[in-house]
Amino acid sequence: MNDCLLQLLLIDPDPIFRLGLKVTLEATPNLQVIADVPTDTAALQILAEILTENPRKIKLIILALDHDQLGWQFCRQLKTLYPHIPILILGSISQPELLIAAKATGINGYCPKGISISQLTPIIQKVANGGYYWVTDPEVANFPSSSLPFGKLRNNLQTSGTHYIDQTLDKVIEQLKLPGITLLDQAILAGQRRELLAARWIVNHLLIVPKERQKPLPEQPLPSLDISPSQAIIKSDIGTLINVPSVVSSQQLHSELLTLCLSKLQFPLENISNTPLEIDMLREDKKRELLYIIFHKFSKQLDEISSFNFDSNQLFNLKDQIVLELWQFTITEFFGNYSRIYLDKQEINLVKFLLDKTTSSQTEIIKKVPLLFELLSYLLLFTDLYVDNISYPAGSKEAQSQALVILENLLIHIANTVIQPLLNYLADVETIKQNFYHRQMISTREIEKFRNNLSWKYQLNQYINEAQTIFESRYELFIFAPRGIAKISIYAARNQELAELSGIPLGVTLILEFRDAISPRIQSLVGFLGNGIVFVLTQVIGKGLGLIGRGILQGIGSVSFIEKRQRKNR
């Protein structure tokens, strides 16, 4: 089994690209990214560790490289130390002399960084098995227009034009997904989307030279890494489907969903929901790092669970353990680099301290992730997704959109619960403040204000807000919106939770029910009294004041007239 498994090492400084490529490649059964690292130093370290145990374990090194001279030196170093391991370069190299130098160094292949996964996968397999791949080779390069008049200019115009249209289209599509958008704005944005899709079609057809027009467009079963995943679920109004993968298995289903989520993790992470979140305390880079860790671990959990044939009941019993394990792993990974800190002049293990401080109530909060079982069942058992009182067929773009909302809320929920014990016990420790907190939140006063706001939120949620959402049969979910973290509300049947309410939360539901019962009567009474008051003011008092005013004016006019006549008679 392991002999057929191609185990890869991925080296790229961009964590977004690295994680996205890792998740997408591992959707292919015989590919495994055994490690992904950001730097050459980390790569040499991990190579030494892995190859000491098994010199043949890594079958291919994928290295992201552009024009960095140090990168080329690193390539030569790799080939000197490990000549038996093929190297495939992903980059944006346009100079032929650099590619010639790479071949001379012993590099086994090169392809552009924006190549689609459907094209990249066979290239990886070919190079890992001892083959070579260079885009400048006649059989793989596709530059028929370069020899024609203005061919290069057409290619450049087509590439830049399509890229600009795709970026604008992404923005319009994300605006269409914003909660609370008006019908007028929806109509305007939908019109813009149609215009952009039409423009994209025109650019792709009119800027292709005659030789290329005669060739059928290549099939693209998976979206390119340089194309926003949001385009993968938008159907063109002119009859073409843009980069839509055909979802035929649960593995491809959750791979596509994770790719969509990974794209949205690039949005700003400012909280625009008007509800304080624990992660608001963190710097932007730390928020993103925390969410990446959760994302990566959850994708691993999906892969592990999918290898077992769990039924629906077993998956339901497993969901709480999944969340708890996800939370524990994230704390260990996120705070691992700061494991030793000083508290009251004593050195403590930060990770162990935070895990030991977990209470039963906090464990319940960790497990309260809305619609987690529905998400797991959809991704692993390929069941239809029932959300917001609608059943969405498994694999449909509507189901993927709803599953994405649940997944985003899961990431944000776990991130908040990871930071919660830190704020409870170690909020004002200087080491923590220096390494994690936002610049505006490092003073003791700001920390206490933030903690008080969170405490007030916990009290409201425990006694009022949670009871109200249960009574109203809905969940409030946090999502990644283009401007930051937003909050939406969806319908969910919560009758069992409603029956289990007691104490103050139950009293809140009774008050709401009483208010709903008497509100129409009070409104009718107020309306009746209001009409009566209006009648008295306008018909009685108003008319009376009008008559009095008119009499006064007439009297004044008569006196003035009499005085004038008396003056004339004199």
Side-chain angles (χ1 to χ4, degrees):
M1 180 77 180
N2 289 334
D3 294 337
C4 300
L5 188 65
L6 293 182
Q7 296 176 311
L8 319 172
L9 172 64
L10 175 60
I11 309 171
D12 192 302
D14 184 356
I16 297 173
F17 177 82
R18 198 168 67 243
L19 186 58
L21 183 59
K22 173 182 172 65
V23 172
T24 313
L25 287 178
E26 290 188 341
T28 303
N30 66 325
L31 295 182
Q32 179 189 14
V33 179
I34 196 171
D36 60 284
V37 294
T39 64
D40 52 356
T41 305
L44 292 173
Q45 181 179 354
I46 199 71
L47 280 167
E49 294 175 359
I50 295 175
L51 299 180
T52 300
E53 300 177 1
N54 184 356
R56 297 291 175 181
K57 190 167 187 178
I58 295 179
K59 303 296 176 59
L60 176 68
I61 297 174
I62 301 177
L63 174 62
L65 186 63
D66 291 325
H67 309 286
D68 186 6
Q69 186 66 27
L70 295 176
W72 293 110
Q73 294 177 4
F74 178 55
C75 286
R76 287 192 287 270
Q77 185 179 8
L78 283 176
K79 294 306 293 185
T80 302
L81 293 173
Y82 309 105
H84 65 284
I85 303 179
I87 298 177
L88 174 66
I89 292 179
L90 297 180
S92 54
I93 302 172
S94 57
Q95 296 92 333
E97 59 272 15
L98 291 179
L99 294 178
I100 294 173
K103 286 184 178 181
T105 305
I107 305 301
N108 304 76
Y110 163 78
C111 58
K113 201 171 186 179
I115 192 171
S116 67
I117 295 298
S118 60
Q119 295 171 311
L120 181 60
T121 301
I123 294 171
I124 289 175
Q125 293 171 336
K126 179 179 179 181
V127 175
N129 290 322
Y132 294 88
Y133 183 96
W134 296 91
V135 293
T136 53
D137 291 342
E139 66 271 14
V140 294
N142 189 16
F143 302 130
S145 61
S146 59
S147 59
L148 296 175
F150 306 107
K152 187 174 183 180
L153 176 61
R154 289 191 184 195
N155 282 336
N156 291 339
L157 286 175
Q158 181 185 5
T159 302
S160 61
T162 304
H163 181 66
Y164 176 77
I165 291 171
D166 287 343
Q167 285 184 327
T168 309
L169 187 61
D170 286 347
K171 295 177 182 178
V172 171
I173 292 169
E174 292 303 332
Q175 289 176 358
L176 278 168
K177 295 179 182 179
L178 288 175
I181 188 172
T182 64
L183 289 176
L184 178 60
D185 289 337
Q186 286 182 6
I188 294 173
L189 291 171
Q192 291 177 354
R193 192 194 72 177
R194 285 193 296 271
E195 292 171 359
L196 288 167
L197 289 170
R200 193 179 191 277
W201 185 89
I202 291 171
V203 168
N204 287 336
H205 284 71
L206 295 186
L207 290 179
I208 299 177
V209 295
K211 283 186 179 180
E212 287 177 314
R213 281 189 197 147
Q214 296 171 3
K215 296 181 180 181
L217 291 176
E219 227 177 283
Q220 295 182 346
L222 284 174
S224 168
L225 289 179
D226 282 354
I227 297 176
S228 170
S230 58
Q231 295 178 37
I233 57 172
I234 301 297
K235 187 174 182 180
S236 168
D237 292 332
I238 55 178
T240 58
L241 200 60
I242 304 176
N243 299 318
V244 179
S246 177
V247 179
V248 295
S249 70
S250 62
Q251 189 174 26
Q252 289 180 336
L253 191 71
H254 77 244
S255 176
E256 180 193 346
L257 181 65
L258 292 174
T259 305
L260 292 171
C261 185
L262 186 65
S263 175
K264 297 193 72 174
L265 278 174
Q266 301 177 53
F267 289 161
L269 297 177
E270 180 184 356
N271 184 5
I272 59 174
S273 67
N274 295 324
T275 299
L277 301 174
E278 288 79 353
I279 59 175
D280 292 344
M281 181 66 76
L282 300 178
R283 302 194 309 262
E284 180 90 359
D285 61 317
K286 284 298 178 181
K287 284 185 194 177
R288 207 175 301 278
E289 178 187 344
L290 175 59
L291 291 166
Y292 283 152
I293 291 172
I294 302 168
F295 175 88
H296 193 192
K297 176 59 178 176
F298 184 67
S299 66
K300 282 285 188 185
Q301 287 179 314
L302 289 178
D303 290 337
E304 293 168 1
I305 297 171
S306 61
S307 62
F308 299 94
N309 294 322
F310 288 127
D311 58 26
S312 180
N313 292 331
Q314 291 171 325
L315 194 60
F316 182 82
N317 296 329
L318 191 64
K319 64 181 178 61
D320 289 345
Q321 184 60 36
I322 292 173
V323 177
L324 194 58
E325 181 187 341
L326 183 58
W327 176 81
Q328 292 171 340
F329 174 87
T330 306
I331 283 186
T332 305
E333 190 74 13
F334 187 60
F335 297 113
N337 293 332
Y338 311 93
S339 58
R340 297 290 176 179
I341 65 170
Y342 286 91
L343 181 65
D344 297 331
K345 298 182 180 180
Q346 292 183 349
E347 188 182 59
I348 65 170
N349 185 308
L350 178 59
V351 173
K352 186 176 184 302
F353 179 86
L354 294 176
L355 292 175
D356 290 344
K357 289 296 181 180
T358 306
T359 62
S360 58
S361 60
Q362 188 174 351
T363 303
E364 290 303 314
I365 294 173
I366 294 168
K367 294 178 181 179
K368 284 185 177 180
V369 181
L371 304 172
L372 175 61
F373 171 68
E374 287 77 2
L375 177 65
L376 294 174
S377 180
Y378 170 74
L379 292 175
L380 300 172
L381 304 181
F382 209 66
T383 60
D384 294 348
L385 188 62
Y386 187 81
V387 176
D388 215 7
N389 204 32
I390 300 174
S391 180
Y392 299 99
S396 65
K397 64 179 182 180
E398 295 83 3
Q400 287 288 77
S401 179
Q402 295 295 334
L404 182 60
V405 169
I406 302 172
L407 177 57
E408 292 171 32
N409 182 73
L410 168 66
L411 299 182
I412 297 170
H413 177 89
I414 297 298
N416 286 327
T417 54
V418 166
I419 302 301
Q420 186 180 9
L422 185 78
L423 295 176
N424 288 342
Y425 302 102
L426 302 171
D428 206 19
V429 176
E430 287 300 323
T431 304
I432 300 298
K433 293 195 291 185
Q434 293 171 8
N435 290 288
F436 293 95
Y437 289 0
H438 192 279
R439 180 178 177 83
Q440 298 175 351
M441 297 294 228
I442 57 177
S443 71
T444 301
R445 180 182 179 184
E446 291 299 326
I447 291 172
E448 291 307 314
K449 283 171 59 178
F450 184 76
R451 279 160 49 91
N452 289 334
N453 288 337
L454 285 177
S455 178
W456 179 245
K457 182 191 79 168
Y458 299 150
Q459 298 299 322
L460 283 177
N461 286 342
Q462 181 178 358
Y463 295 112
I464 299 176
N465 293 342
E466 182 68 15
Q468 183 176 351
T469 55
I470 290 175
F471 188 53
E472 294 174 353
S473 300
R474 62 184 178 87
Y475 283 118
E476 290 184 339
L477 306 180
F478 292 96
I479 62 170
F480 300 115
R483 293 189 298 113
I485 297 176
K487 184 168 65 173
I488 63 172
S489 181
I490 64 171
Y491 167 82
R494 307 186 69 179
N495 295 332
Q496 182 177 354
E497 295 173 87
L498 182 62
E500 295 173 354
L501 289 179
S502 61
I504 295 178
L506 178 60
V508 170
T509 63
L510 295 176
I511 291 172
L512 291 173
E513 186 175 2
F514 178 72
R515 186 192 67 179
D516 294 340
I518 67 171
S519 179
R521 283 78 186 172
I522 293 177
Q523 289 178 354
S524 299
L525 179 60
V526 170
F528 176 76
L529 293 176
N531 291 333
I533 292 172
V534 170
F535 178 81
V536 171
L537 290 175
T538 56
Q539 301 299 321
V540 180
I541 298 177
K543 285 187 176 181
L545 292 174
L547 291 173
I548 294 171
R550 188 171 63 182
I552 292 172
L553 292 174
Q554 288 176 350
I556 293 174
S558 299
V559 171
S560 300
F561 178 72
I562 292 171
E563 288 179 352
K564 288 180 181 179
R565 290 188 61 181
Q566 288 176 350
R567 288 174 186 171
K568 287 183 180 181
N569 291 334
R570 290 177 186 173

